Amino acid sequence: QGTYDDDQLTMRKESMCLEEGQYQFTIYDLRGDGLVFVATAYDDDDYNNVLLFRSPGHYNVASYGGLIVEGAMFEYNETTSFFLPHVRVPSAMPSISFAPSMSSLPSARPSESFAPSTLPSSSARPSTSSSPTETCYSIDVSVRFDGIPTHTS
């Protein structure tokens, strides 16, 4: 969570690395208009509000290119719960690629091999480590502010 100053008027991007687990992303707006600032003035001749300008903003949270949440229209806050690793929803349209795909994440299941090992094992028991490896998942948060960025955190 962070509050943004006037010198960060239009866009703010943050990237972080989080461990596997459940998280909540919450965005706050002090004015209660989310990330869509609308300025109006009252027209005495027409007895009506007149739109002076509209400054739309938006936000999104993604992990490895997979969208977790996005939005703009909310009142004082909006909260979304999500899990890491984030599982992308498959597209309804198939894609065709002739290039092999690569993944920066480890496989969820070990690969099987029917070929014998060439190196003998020195122990019948698996080894243990006093400092297990933590897996880190990249999260990208982007916020395009409305006309009053100091109201958003």
Side-chain angles (χ1 to χ4, degrees), residues 97-104:
S97 174
F98 297 103
S101 62
M102 300 292 287
S103 174
S104 59

Side-chain angles (χ1 to χ4, degrees), residues 15 23 31 92 129 143:
S15 293
Y23 294 89
R31 188 179 165 99
S129 171
V143 178

Side-chain angles (χ1 to χ4, degrees), residues 129-135:
S129 171
S130 60
S131 58
T133 304
E134 298 283 335
T135 302

Side-chain angles (χ1 to χ4, degrees), residues 3-73:
T3 303
Y4 304 113
D5 300 323
D6 284 333
D7 54 330
Q8 299 164 326
L9 286 178
T10 57
M11 188 80 153
R12 174 80 186 224
K13 292 183 181 183
E14 295 280 336
S15 293
M16 60 202 77
C17 198
L18 302 174
E19 295 176 7
E20 181 175 340
Q22 182 176 1
Y23 294 89
Q24 281 189 334
F25 171 81
T26 303
I27 188 164
Y28 299 93
D29 185 74
L30 295 175
R31 188 179 165 99
D33 61 358
L35 290 174
V36 180
F37 175 71
V38 178
T40 61
Y42 188 74
D43 184 351
D44 290 330
D45 296 334
D46 293 335
Y47 304 104
N48 205 351
N49 279 333
V50 177
L51 178 67
L52 297 176
F53 70 91
R54 181 180 174 162
S55 177
H58 66 272
Y59 72 90
N60 69 53
V61 179
S63 179
Y64 295 102
L67 185 64
I68 294 173
V69 63
E70 66 181 341
M73 302 289 289

